[in-house]
Amino acid sequence: MDNNLVIFEQDSQTKEVILGYLSEFEDVKLDRVFDDYAEGVKYIKENRPKVVMFSMTSDKNTSLKMIKRLSDFGVNIIALSEDYTTSNIIQTLRYGAKDFVSKPVIKKDLFVALVKCCQEDVKVLKKSQIISVFSNKGGVGKTAIATNLAVELTKLTRDKVALVDLNLPIGDVTTFLDIKPTIDISEIINNSQIDNSEFITDACRRYKDTSLYVLAEPPYIEQSRTLTPAQIVKLFDCLRNAFSYIVVDMGTNVDKLNMTILEKSDIILLITIVNLPLIRNCQRCLDLFENLEFPSDKTKVIVNRYLENDEITVEDVENTINKPVYWKVPNNYFTIMSSINKGIPVSEVNENSNITESFTQLASKLTEDMFESDLT
Ligand SMILES: Nc1ncnc2c1ncn2[C@@H]1O[C@H](COP(=O)(O)OP(=O)(O)O)[C@@H](O)[C@H]1O
Ligand SMILES: [Mg+2]
């Protein structure tokens, strides 16, 4: 992969100095130089360069917010600033910068930072991660969350992501992404080539030009057969060979099949909405998982359709379920409905909506947590 670089610098003299230094540094390819922030962010969001050199302005708070925003895109940020007090350096790194270079820029400092950002490989997981999206009630947003999370994980990590519809016998991932289902999953599992990662990738439908692949059941119920727990285990083993992240949209039954999926998952996203019967249901699922001896940090509770001024607060939810809420997805009926009706992810409906932002950041938080637990 190229070590692409994007620079944010408003001062023309500094710009010239940096460009001069870069002509001697062969390991990076300069993509663009921006002095307009909004334009630059848009470019970075779409192109995900490996390194971003970001010159902080005298408006420190805004600069830190920008660094945070850029780091959410998974790029390596080198912050440049005239203020090289320890407190500023620490704060900058805390907001997500990978390295800090003081201004006026010295060639050696810049090169050291660049080497650090380029050498450090894009984090590679030791083991691929199965993330299952579950609730024992329908209509809470499982498919909306599984689909949009898979899209954001793909954008963020640029790794191969599989979105698997195991809401059998009729899932709806294909409706959410407007793709044609054709496959009978049990047929794939019974194929002798199942262990071949190319075969399993080909069996999935690639979403547009991305590294997201969708595995969905056939369009008619009668074409889909029931899967056995043993087949699920086999399917997951094979998907792990071919994909870094496997997002599973699940059904609502608490049966042997779903318990096998949950047991085999690395992470369970348990979805609820703020409504008493559903919160109690969520509590029951957590009790069940405890009885099944799932590690408690394996299950992460997500509150969907969150409203800031709801009568029941997140604290109330946390007190009831006796567990912190991992993430809140805002209520945005208009954007979700428009996305479902058009068969596109919310980011394609409106990349600036609160719900798109929420999915981007959820993907970012999850990957961070996965890397951390992967290291231990
Ligand atoms: N964050 C949200 N804001 C507003 N409406 C939502 C949100 N998430 C889901 N919905 C609505 O809930 C409905 C059910 O969502 P869906 O993902 O199909 O649920 P499930 O897969 O759990 O049955 C969607 O059609 C949509 O109208
Ligand atoms: Mg669904």
Side-chain angles (χ1 to χ4, degrees):
M1 196 191 295
D2 275 344
N3 290 321
N4 291 5
L5 169 70
V6 167
I7 299 176
F8 280 90
E9 178 58 76
Q10 287 175 335
D11 176 51
S12 54
Q13 216 176 336
T14 311
K15 216 182 286 185
E16 227 170 90
V17 171
I18 294 176
L19 294 182
Y21 292 161
L22 284 176
S23 63
E24 299 172 37
F25 195 88
E26 288 176 353
D27 290 349
V28 294
K29 182 176 151 291
L30 179 64
D31 265 3
R32 294 279 295 268
V33 183
F34 290 96
D35 42 29
D36 179 74
Y37 175 71
E39 209 185 309
V41 167
K42 190 162 177 288
Y43 181 86
I44 287 167
K45 193 168 179 187
E46 280 159 16
N47 294 280
R48 311 281 165 143
K50 176 101 179 234
V51 187
V52 175
M53 231 178 248
F54 183 87
S55 202
M56 297 174 76
T57 65
S58 51
D59 181 355
K60 194 170 147 191
N61 283 339
T62 309
S63 293
L64 288 173
K65 269 192 210 146
M66 291 177 184
I67 289 176
K68 170 82 183 65
R69 174 113 208 261
L70 293 174
S71 78
D72 284 341
F73 297 141
V75 297
N76 294 316
I77 301 159
I78 301 173
L80 310 182
S81 172
E82 274 143 15
D83 174 6
Y84 46 91
T85 54
T86 318
S87 70
N88 190 44
I89 297 176
I90 290 176
Q91 220 172 359
T92 309
L93 298 181
R94 211 172 265 158
Y95 271 75
K98 187 117 276 172
D99 209 345
F100 184 96
V101 171
S102 60
K103 271 171 137 182
V105 178
I106 298 167
K107 185 159 81 177
K108 187 169 156 264
D109 289 353
L110 194 72
F111 283 8
V112 168
L114 278 171
V115 168
K116 195 164 149 190
C117 289
C118 296
Q119 266 183 350
E120 197 185 25
D121 279 340
V122 181
K123 293 169 183 167
V124 177
L125 287 163
K126 280 189 257 165
K127 172 171 150 269
S128 68
Q129 301 282 309
I130 298 175
I131 305 162
S132 289
V133 183
F134 181 71
S135 159
N136 64 338
K137 294 283 164 200
V140 296
K142 285 191 302 295
T143 309
I145 290 172
T147 308
N148 286 288
L149 173 63
V151 168
E152 293 303 321
L153 277 175
T154 311
K155 282 201 258 170
L156 181 70
T157 66
R158 287 178 284 183
D159 268 339
K160 272 173 79 186
V161 178
L163 173 60
V164 188
D165 195 341
L166 288 180
N167 186 4
L168 306 171
I170 22 165
D172 46 8
V173 162
T174 48
T175 321
F176 275 64
L177 291 180
D178 191 25
I179 45 180
K180 288 190 183 63
T182 48
I183 314 261
D184 183 336
I185 294 181
S186 43
E187 227 163 71
I188 299 179
I189 297 169
N190 292 330
N191 192 298
S192 58
Q193 288 208 58
I194 174 89
D195 292 326
N196 177 338
S197 69
E198 252 172 59
F199 169 80
I200 187 106
T201 307
D202 284 348
C204 302
R205 282 213 178 248
R206 184 169 179 196
Y207 181 63
K208 294 184 177 166
D209 252 353
T210 68
S211 58
L212 172 65
Y213 293 80
V214 181
L215 186 57
E217 277 282 278
Y220 306 106
I221 302 181
E222 56 271 27
Q223 286 175 287
S224 97
R225 270 161 259 161
T226 336
L227 292 181
T228 63
Q231 285 179 313
I232 285 292
V233 173
K234 186 159 184 199
L235 176 68
F236 279 177
D237 286 345
C238 299
L239 287 168
R240 278 193 198 274
N241 280 336
F243 297 95
S244 300
Y245 301 90
I246 299 138
V247 180
V248 185
D249 183 21
M250 293 183 59
T252 50
N253 289 347
V254 181
D255 56 14
K256 186 84 182 88
L257 186 78
N258 279 343
M259 287 308 109
T260 309
I261 297 172
L262 293 173
E263 195 195 319
K264 285 281 152 198
S265 303
D266 299 283
I267 291 175
I268 301 168
L269 300 180
L270 181 60
I271 316 300
T272 187
I273 50 183
V274 179
N275 129 349
L276 263 186
L278 276 161
I279 298 167
R280 289 210 188 98
N281 260 300
C282 175
Q283 167 66 53
R284 282 197 204 114
C285 289
L286 288 169
D287 286 346
L288 172 70
F289 298 166
E290 199 183 327
N291 286 337
L292 292 169
E293 296 183 356
F294 292 173
S296 75
D297 60 350
K298 169 168 164 170
T299 310
K300 302 184 190 308
V301 175
I302 297 191
V303 170
N304 189 25
R305 310 196 65 165
Y306 172 72
L307 286 167
E308 202 76 53
N309 299 317
D310 219 322
E311 217 178 321
I312 307 174
T313 66
V314 166
E315 287 74 43
D316 295 333
V317 178
E318 290 177 332
N319 287 335
T320 312
I321 62 173
N322 200 16
K323 188 179 173 75
V325 166
Y326 184 79
W327 198 255
K328 303 183 288 261
V329 177
N331 189 62
N332 188 332
Y333 189 72
F334 178 78
T335 309
I336 280 276
M337 280 325 285
S338 168
S339 118
I340 297 172
N341 290 336
K342 292 184 180 140
I344 51 177
V346 292
S347 56
E348 284 180 42
V349 174
N350 178 359
E351 67 163 357
N352 295 317
S353 75
N354 62 350
I355 191 156
T356 304
E357 181 98 339
S358 178
F359 286 127
T360 311
Q361 292 189 4
L362 170 62
S364 165
K365 184 173 161 74
L366 271 172
T367 44
E368 251 167 55
D369 289 350
M370 284 185 269
F371 284 121
E372 234 158 66
S373 63
D374 203 37
L375 289 176
T376 53

